Structure formats: structure tokens, C-alpha cells
Amino acid sequence: MAIPKPDLRTLRWLNNLTGWVSTDAYSTAWVALVPALENREQPAWPAALEYLRESQLPDGGWGEPTIYYAHERTITTLAALRALHTWQTNYNDQYRIERGLQALNRYAADLEREPHEPVGFELLLPMLRNTLSPFYGPQLPTDKWE
């Protein structure tokens, strides 16, 4: 059964939305994982990958740039790494991944000092860890995540 293509005219209203929610690296990483309908070997929205590339933080991770919260940065960085690893459509993606892995190790040291973890962290961390472990297992701070 063929999946119908959306009528882009009906989606134009999205361009006019205004509000309090802005783009974030975590949500964008999930969008970046979606393959294109016409070619499953390509991302549906390459602009999402470009956003991830441009929003990598100076410390090598991803997340909220103005507030440091190790739990949020850990999950966001893992999601961004998964998207970049899945596609690797840019020659610098491997360098970005390496910087992200280094940031994860720094964030892991701060996790136990934070009084709270976000809802779902205990579910998201193992899932993201398991998807990346076959490729980057020794570089992930799994001993600090236990």
C-alpha cells in the first residue's frame, strides 16, 4: 500500500506559528532520524541534521546552552549522536561524534551531584545507550550510568 504524499499547501500554516516553544536539539535529533519516503537511505529532513551540526555546544555536547543540567545534556547528546551516526552525510560528522562522546564522559561525572533526574531519564538512557553501544561502547561512560 502506497503512503500518500502530504499536500504541502495544507502544511503552510506551520510556517506562521509563533509561540513560546523554539527548536531544541533533542526533538530535532528524533526528527533527523526519519528516512525519506522516496529513498530510505537518505534523511527526510536534512535541515534537521544541519541544525544539529550548527547547535553543537562548545563543550562538544548538545542541549540547552544557557543552563547546565547534566541529565538533559546527556540525553540530548545521545540523541544527537544517534542521528549523526545514522546518516553521517557530512565529512565532519565523525569529528562531531567524537566531541560528543568526550562531553558525555564529562556529563556523567556530574549526574550523581544533581538532585533530580527528568521524567523518563531511566527509560531513555538505556535505550539510547543500547543503540550506540555496538559502535561506541568503550567510549561511553556506562560504568557511571549504572
Side-chain angles (χ1 to χ4, degrees):
M1 179 176 168
I3 300 172
K5 290 191 176 203
D7 182 355
L8 295 180
R9 291 173 295 180
T10 62
L11 298 178
R12 286 198 182 122
W13 63 272
L14 288 171
N15 293 327
N16 298 323
L17 288 178
T18 57
W20 291 66
V21 178
S22 63
T23 307
D24 69 283
Y26 177 77
S27 299
T28 303
W30 287 105
V31 169
L33 285 169
V34 177
L37 283 174
E38 60 280 353
N39 181 355
R40 311 281 295 160
E41 301 297 318
Q42 295 294 318
W45 294 287
L49 288 169
E50 196 55 40
Y51 175 83
L52 292 175
R53 292 179 185 116
E54 292 173 5
S55 64
Q56 189 169 21
L57 299 171
D59 71 358
W62 283 266
E64 169 56 44
T66 58
I67 300 170
Y68 179 76
Y69 183 48
H71 285 85
E72 181 267 341
R73 293 241 181 129
T74 297
I75 294 299
T76 303
T77 298
L78 285 167
L81 291 177
R82 182 175 179 200
L84 289 173
H85 173 81
T86 297
W87 300 113
Q88 293 192 46
T89 57
N90 183 286
Y91 66 95
N92 278 328
D93 284 349
Q94 191 55 46
Y95 174 69
R96 289 180 182 92
I97 290 168
E98 293 299 323
R99 289 186 59 226
L101 291 167
Q102 292 168 6
L104 282 174
N105 282 281
R106 289 189 301 276
Y107 302 155
D110 294 335
L111 290 176
E112 64 186 33
R113 289 186 279 235
E114 293 182 344
H116 305 288
E117 62 184 43
V119 173
F121 184 83
E122 72 281 2
L123 301 173
L124 292 170
L125 179 65
M127 185 274 299
L128 289 165
R129 179 194 63 217
N130 291 343
T131 61
L132 291 169
S133 285
F135 312 103
Y136 307 107
Q139 295 170 281
L140 295 171
T142 53
D143 57 324
K144 296 176 185 170
W145 290 341
E146 301 300 324

